[in-house]
Every structure is written in structure tokens, then in C-alpha cells.
Amino acid sequence: MFRIPIFGKVLLAFFGAMIIITVIAVLDLRSTSRVVQAYQNVEHSQQVINQLELVISLLKDGETGQRGYIITQNAVFLEPFTLAMNHIDQELARLDTLLAERPRQTANVTQLNQLVVAKIDFMHYTNRLVGQGNAEEAIQQVSAGTGKAIMDEVRRRVQQMKNIEEEVLDNFSRQVKDSYLINQWVVYVGILIIASIMLLGAIKLYQDLRQQAALRTDLQQTNEKLNHTVSSLNHANEELQTLNEALHAANATVLNYNQQMEKRSDELEQLNGELKEANKALEAFSYSISHDLLSPMRSVTGYSEMLSESYHAQLDAEGQRLIGKITTNARRMNQLIHGLLDFSRIGRKGMAKVTFSMEKLVVPILEEYREAYHPKYPVDIELHPLPAIHAEPDLIKQVWINLISNAFKFSSKVIQPAVEIGYQDEEHAYCFYIKDNGAGFDMKYAEKKLFGVFQRMHTQDEFEGTGVGLAIVQRIIENHNGSIWAEAAPDQGATFYFTLPKYTV
Amino acid sequence: MINAVELLLVEDNEDDAELMLKACSSHHYIHLKDGLEALDFVFARGKYASRNIKVLPKLIVLDLKLPKLDGIDVLRAIKQHAETHTIPVVILTSSYQPDDVQACYALGANSYIVKPDSFKALTEAAQRICQYWLHTNQLPG
């Protein structure tokens, strides 16, 4: 991301430098060409000056020849004049050519040509005079100063022309100087700019290089880290492989377990089947008791009663006693059969739980049973408020019937029998209790006998009963996921506790 | 005589039957001891083939536990047939198992009575049954 601007800047700087160099080169080329031009101009001017001096020199040669001829009238002296005159036209023509492109000298050239022609004409005139033998006239003509005046005029004009040439020369040399100076400045400034660009570039480059170096270091570090990570990964991979192997092993174990479980399951299924069979047998047993056992029992009691009533007179005392025994035991047997049927019925009853008031359930039971056991004194009943619970109402009613009738039964022989019912609110359950001040029992024997079927803590003579009531109570409470226990001591009453879980959705 | 039966008692226990028949002796009755025979009688089959099938017993008192064919099967057969399903059937049994009670009413039993434990009570119960179903109650047909 940061490379592109730098690249752009470098390009920009490069192109800037190129432009500046091009400008310098162009300016320098122009300056050089000017110098060359100036040099050519100088040469030209020099040639003009030389040519002017040559013309004057030829005129002087002509004058020398003229004067010598006049003085001596010897034609030999005319030789310089003749030589000069032979060349002068040619040299004048050259001068014309040299000054052809110099507008400032055009007028001067014309004048000079006229003056030269005039001077040559004058010298020809005097020479002709001498040739005619009229030297005196020639001397007079020269002395009159006409020739000198022309010559002076030529000299003045030539000088003027030389001045102009020098002026032109100066002008050029100044121009060259200026151009050179400007050129110099451009070069300096250009170099300065290029140097700045290069410096900036160098700084940028340095920074870039440093950045790159830093990046490289970073990269190296990252690389090292990466290498480290890779080696860690490799390590992890190895561990993973190990784990994988362990997993495979575990899997095998699980499979093994599964097989075992399946085997167990099969076993369980078999057991379940056996249980079902047993249950069926139990049901058949219970059915048989209901249908087959009760009728013979009724016959036994019925006929023994008939015997003791209708044949009372025919029986002696021992016979009557035996008949009485039969009747009593048949009745007892009947009670036991009914107890057994009641107990077996609990397990088959469905658990249709509803929420109901425990207090409203208990009150009528107390009313119904309080006199059933013929207590010596009216029973003092203390009923604390009871909560609403979620349970099977018929079964819970059976629990209270059994517990309340027990409490009344076992306290029926004490003076001032008292029964107390209440509950404790625990975190997840209600703990109900029923307390009486009756016969109680010895806790030593409670564990084995208290809640067992047909197990009793008292003899039939002391208190009647089948030993099924508390077994039924325990079964109902446990079917409700509750628990039941008791605290008692002989002749100090008993307290029964049972818990029922609070209703949770 | 056999066609004029008012009460059909199906009961295998001799003692119970004796008590009940004594209690209902004022009515024309027939006492059968197994379920199959009871159905033969009702549907005029087997040894009762000569019986007039149109003349039906006015009341059937049925025990549940019976030889050959149980009372529940007898009840089902009687209540399934259009000719016989209006005959009142009183179940009289020692069983007070809820399953039995439920099953009998589901099949259309008209009454379910648990046999009392004593002779006296059973005799009284039998008397009350005859009194109610054959006198107090208005029978069909």
C-alpha cells in the first residue's frame, strides 16, 4: 500500500529532473549558438575592419605613387599607384559583399565608394596632367587640397565604419555575456533543484530502505514466529495423532462397551421379560386370591357361624370353644387377604397427579376416624395449616387414612389421647408429620418390621391389625419420590414423617 | 318350565349358589356352573338346542371366575348379540379389583356387586338383587 505513492514520487522527481536537465540543455545550446554566432560576428567585423584598412592602404599606395610621379615625373614612381588601382575595385567589391547584410553601414559604404571613386578620379586627373607635361598644374591641384580633403573624408568615414563595427562587436559580446549569465543562473538553479530532488529522493529512499529493513526484520521475526508456530503445530499434530490413537482405542473400548451394553440390554430385556412374566404370575396370583380364596373363606366363616348358632345346644363347652377359634381365625384370614389385595392394588394404580389442598384432604379423615377406635377420652386433635401439593389424591388420602387411623388406634388406650399434624417447609419438599402420645414402639425393632408387609409391632391382643397399613403408606410415598421414617419410644407415642417433592414444571 | 326362566345364575361355587338360590327361591331360576353352558343356554345351543330361543331369561347373575369360559367372555357374547344385549347382567363376584370392575362396565354390565364376606350379608345381597332387578326395575320387552 505504501509502495505506490513512493514509486509515484520517484517517477515525478525523475521526470522533474529530466525536464530541468532538458531546459538547461536547451538554454545552454542556445547560449552556445549565440557565442558561436558572436564569434562569427567578431570575425566578420574584424574582416570588415581589415578590409577597410586595406582599402585605405591601397588609397595611400595610390597617393604615394601619385605624389612621386608628380615630383619626379618619372613613370617608375607610378608603379605603386598602378598596383593599387589594379586591386582597389576588387577590394571595394569585397567590402560591399562583407557589408551587404549590415544595414547600418549601407549609407557609409555608398559614401565610401563615392569618395574612393572621387579620390581615384582626382589622382588619375593629376597623373594625366603630369603625362601632358603640365606638372605645375598638377602640383597646384594637389596643393589646393582637394585630394587631401577627399582622403580625410575617406579616413573619417572609415573610422566611423570601424566604430560601428566595434559597437556591433561590443553589443554582441554584451549579449553573449548576458546570455551566459542567464545560462549560468539557470544551470545553478537547475542543479540546485536536481540536487534537492536527489536529496529528497535519497532521504525517501533511505527512509524506504529503512522501512523495508524494518519490514524485513518484522518479516524475519514473523517468519521465525511462523516457524515456531509451525513447529508447535507439528507438535500439536503429533499430540493430536496420539490423541487420535487414544480416541481410536477409546472408540474400540466404547464399541466393546457397546457390545457389552447390548449384551446387558439383551440380558435386561430378558430380565424384563422375566419380570413381566413374574408380574403376570403375580397378577394371576392376585386374581386368584380375589376370585378363589374369598369364597371358601366365606364358607368357612359362614358354616362355622351357622354351627355355633344353630348347633350351640348340641355342642359341649370344648366344642363351642373350638368353633369360636375357627370363626375368629377365618375372620382374621379374611382380613389378611383383604390387606394383601389392598397392598397389591397400590402398585397397579395409575399416577394421575393433580394439585390439591392437603388440609382439605385431611380434615374429613380426622372427623371420620376420631371415634372409630373407642378412645377412653375424646382425642385432642391439633391440626396446623397444611400446604397445597401435587400428587395422586386417592393414594395420598390412603396414606393419611392409614397414618391417622394408626395414631387414633395406638393412642386409644391412654388418658387424654392427643394427635398433632403439621409440616415443615424444606427447600425442595414438604415434610409432613403426624404425632401421637400412644403406645409407641421400640426403635430397635422398627427398622426391620415397621414398614414390612404383614409385619407388626404389637400383638393382635394389644392392637388389632394386619400389618399392611404402613407397608402401603411407604409404597405410596416412595412411588411419589418421597421418603418416610418414624421416631418413637415405648409408651411415649410415635411421630411419623414423610416428604413429598414440591411441584416443579 | 324351562322356558319361563326369570333368573339365570352362573356360579361355580356350590355354597355361594346355595345361599343365593335360597334367597331368590320365589323366582323361576336356573343355575349353571360354567360359562360355556351358560352361553349354550342363552343362545339355545348344544344340550339346550331344543329350547325356544325367543324366550330369554329376565336377569343374568354372573360370577367372573368360571370353568371353561370366564364370566367376562360370557358377558361379552351376550352384550355383542342384538337378540341378547338388552338382558340385564349383574356381575356378582368376590373381586373388587379395579381392572375387573372397569372391564365389566366397559363390556356393558348393568351392575357390579362385590360378594360380602359373610353368609348373612351375601344372602341379603342376593335378595336385594332379585328384588331390585325383577320387581323394582322395569325390564325391557
Side-chain angles (χ1 to χ4, degrees):
Chain A
M1 271 173 84
F2 45 82
R3 275 184 161 270
I4 294 157
I6 278 186
F7 187 63
K9 277 177 193 169
V10 166
L11 260 182
L12 207 71
F14 179 74
F15 279 117
M18 284 286 283
I19 286 163
I20 289 161
I21 286 167
T22 309
V23 166
I24 289 168
V26 166
L27 284 174
D28 195 54
L29 202 69
R30 212 179 66 167
S31 164
T32 308
S33 80
R34 269 198 186 164
V35 169
V36 169
Q37 201 190 352
Y39 183 74
Q40 283 173 349
N41 280 337
V42 168
E43 205 176 37
H44 192 82
S45 294
Q46 204 61 53
Q47 279 180 350
V48 168
I49 290 164
N50 287 345
Q51 200 64 24
L52 282 170
E53 275 170 358
L54 186 62
V55 168
I56 283 202
S57 168
L58 284 173
L59 278 180
K60 276 179 187 170
D61 282 355
E63 211 171 35
T64 306
Q66 178 207 17
R67 283 172 190 167
Y69 184 57
I70 290 171
I71 295 163
T72 63
Q73 284 135 28
N74 188 347
V76 177
F77 286 93
L78 257 180
E79 202 178 337
F81 174 78
T82 315
L83 269 173
M85 287 312 111
N86 282 347
H87 290 294
I88 195 132
D89 284 344
Q90 197 186 332
E91 295 309 329
L92 269 175
R94 258 188 84 191
L95 189 66
D96 282 352
T97 312
L98 282 172
L99 292 173
E101 288 176 13
R102 188 87 88 209
R104 278 182 69 191
Q105 298 280 41
T106 311
N108 285 333
V109 168
T110 313
Q111 288 268 312
L112 187 66
N113 271 322
Q114 286 172 353
L115 284 170
V116 168
V117 169
K119 179 69 180 176
I120 291 169
D121 282 352
F122 179 72
M123 283 191 296
H124 274 297
Y125 171 66
T126 55
N127 284 351
R128 253 188 335 266
L129 284 177
V130 173
Q132 289 163 356
N134 200 356
E136 284 302 313
E137 182 60 27
I139 291 168
Q140 245 181 340
Q141 281 293 326
V142 172
S143 300
T146 315
K148 190 184 174 286
I150 293 169
M151 198 59 187
D152 286 347
E153 190 56 33
V154 167
R155 278 201 181 92
R156 211 166 41 88
R157 194 59 70 180
V158 165
Q159 193 56 48
Q160 202 179 341
M161 285 173 82
K162 277 163 93 176
N163 284 349
I164 286 171
E165 281 306 314
E166 271 163 13
E167 206 180 302
V168 167
L169 220 60
D170 271 0
N171 217 11
F172 263 118
S173 88
R174 201 166 45 249
Q175 272 183 14
V176 167
K177 221 175 178 178
D178 287 353
S179 152
Y180 182 72
L181 261 173
I182 290 165
N183 206 22
Q184 207 82 348
W185 273 110
V186 167
V187 167
Y188 289 156
V189 170
I191 283 170
L192 202 68
I193 290 169
I194 289 170
S196 306
I197 288 170
M198 279 175 76
L199 191 68
L200 279 170
I203 289 165
K204 264 274 172 270
L205 209 68
Y206 175 70
Q207 284 176 346
D208 197 31
L209 280 173
R210 256 183 61 174
Q211 213 169 14
Q212 276 189 14
L215 275 173
R216 207 169 298 129
T217 314
D218 274 5
L219 213 72
Q220 218 159 352
Q221 282 174 356
T222 311
N223 213 17
E224 277 166 26
K225 279 182 193 165
L226 216 72
N227 277 344
H228 187 73
T229 311
V230 164
S231 71
S232 298
L233 268 171
N234 279 342
H235 190 69
N237 208 15
E238 280 165 26
E239 281 182 1
L240 218 72
Q241 229 159 339
T242 316
L243 274 175
N244 210 12
E245 280 162 22
L247 209 73
H248 272 292
N251 209 12
T253 314
V254 166
L255 269 179
N256 197 11
Y257 253 118
N258 246 1
Q259 284 169 350
Q260 280 183 10
M261 284 281 281
E262 257 168 66
K263 210 174 132 192
R264 273 293 153 75
S265 190
D266 288 346
E267 283 172 13
L268 261 169
E269 215 165 308
Q270 201 186 333
L271 257 177
N272 204 19
E274 283 170 18
L275 215 71
K276 269 186 188 164
E277 283 297 312
N279 229 14
K280 250 184 177 172
L282 209 72
E283 259 173 55
F285 179 65
S286 148
Y287 183 82
S288 176
I289 289 173
S290 296
H291 293 272
D292 302 329
L293 225 59
L294 287 170
S295 284
M297 281 317 301
R298 183 166 42 249
S299 293
V300 173
T301 43
Y303 289 122
S304 58
E305 273 167 8
M306 280 167 73
L307 198 64
S308 70
E309 281 166 19
S310 308
Y311 295 86
H312 192 262
Q314 280 100 317
L315 290 168
D316 62 4
E318 181 61 8
Q320 284 171 10
R321 193 182 70 84
L322 292 175
I323 291 293
K325 286 274 179 205
I326 292 169
T327 314
T328 311
N329 279 292
R331 279 197 197 123
R332 172 90 188 122
M333 179 103 177
N334 233 14
Q335 282 178 357
L336 289 173
I337 290 168
H338 283 299
L340 196 66
L341 286 173
D342 287 343
F343 184 71
S344 82
R345 218 164 51 162
I346 296 303
R348 281 188 287 161
K349 179 108 172 72
M351 289 284 267
K353 288 183 183 178
V354 293
T355 303
F356 59 92
S357 160
M358 198 65 128
E359 205 170 321
K360 282 183 183 166
L361 184 81
V362 168
V363 171
I365 301 170
L366 286 170
E367 289 306 316
E368 192 180 337
Y369 287 86
R370 69 189 307 168
E371 303 301 329
Y373 294 93
H374 313 294
K376 286 180 178 173
Y377 299 94
V379 187
D380 178 19
I381 297 170
E382 191 179 354
L383 175 64
H384 298 287
L386 299 177
I389 59 150
H390 189 76
E392 212 302 320
D394 290 342
L395 293 176
I396 299 300
K397 186 178 180 183
Q398 191 62 53
V399 166
W400 281 116
I401 286 172
N402 293 6
L403 290 176
I404 288 169
S405 55
N406 272 1
F408 285 148
K409 180 164 71 180
F410 294 109
S411 61
S412 62
K413 292 177 181 173
V414 301
I415 298 166
Q416 290 188 328
V419 172
E420 181 189 342
I421 293 172
Y423 83 105
Q424 280 147 19
D425 196 345
E426 290 173 358
E427 196 182 346
H428 297 297
Y430 294 115
C431 180
F432 297 94
Y433 66 87
I434 175 164
K435 185 179 182 175
D436 66 67
N437 60 348
F441 50 86
D442 194 338
M443 289 293 284
K444 261 197 289 186
Y445 310 114
E447 199 187 329
K448 276 188 178 178
K449 286 187 176 281
L450 193 59
F451 297 106
V453 190
F454 298 134
Q455 300 289 344
R456 304 209 63 226
M457 308 296 288
H458 304 274
T459 66
Q460 202 64 27
D461 296 337
E462 291 172 316
F463 296 101
E464 281 202 346
T466 56
V468 174
L470 285 178
I472 287 173
V473 166
Q474 188 190 41
R475 200 163 174 189
I476 291 171
I477 295 302
E478 283 177 356
N479 282 355
H480 278 83
N481 299 318
S483 54
I484 182 161
W485 67 98
E487 287 168 3
D491 297 321
Q492 284 175 36
T495 307
F496 283 86
Y497 299 91
F498 68 90
T499 62
L500 285 173
K502 286 180 180 175
Y503 178 52
T504 47
V505 180
Chain B
M1 277 296 281
I2 214 162
N3 284 341
V5 164
E6 285 180 297
L7 166 68
L8 168 61
L9 175 66
V10 192
E11 171 64 69
D12 66 325
N13 187 294
E14 292 280 0
D15 295 339
D16 290 353
E18 191 187 326
L19 282 175
M20 286 188 276
L21 291 173
K22 213 180 269 177
C24 301
S25 57
S26 60
H27 300 93
H28 292 292
Y29 62 82
I30 181 165
H31 171 218
L32 301 176
K33 293 177 185 172
D34 71 70
L36 199 59
E37 200 178 356
L39 286 185
D40 280 350
F41 177 82
V42 172
F43 294 107
R45 299 183 307 213
K47 68 181 196 185
Y48 299 100
S50 60
R51 197 183 73 83
N52 183 359
I53 195 167
K54 302 271 182 194
V55 182
L56 295 168
K58 289 181 177 169
L59 173 68
I60 300 171
V61 175
L62 188 62
D63 191 10
L64 284 184
K65 183 80 183 293
L66 294 169
K68 293 183 186 171
L69 207 60
D70 264 339
I72 200 102
D73 298 317
V74 175
L75 173 69
R76 186 183 294 115
I78 289 168
K79 290 297 179 186
Q80 262 177 2
H81 281 84
E83 298 87 359
T84 57
H85 83 278
T86 53
I87 306 169
V89 178
V90 173
I91 306 295
L92 186 62
T93 175
S94 340
S95 170
Y96 50 92
Q97 303 282 325
D99 293 352
D100 288 333
V101 181
Q102 190 67 25
C104 288
Y105 278 116
L107 287 173
N110 299 77
S111 184
Y112 190 107
I113 291 158
V114 179
K115 285 180 188 167
D117 282 338
S118 75
F119 276 2
K120 199 182 162 204
L122 182 58
T123 307
E124 282 169 9
Q127 281 171 347
R128 277 205 300 275
I129 289 166
C130 289
Q131 180 65 32
Y132 176 78
W133 285 104
L134 296 174
H135 296 292
T136 312
N137 190 49
Q138 181 66 48
L139 292 165

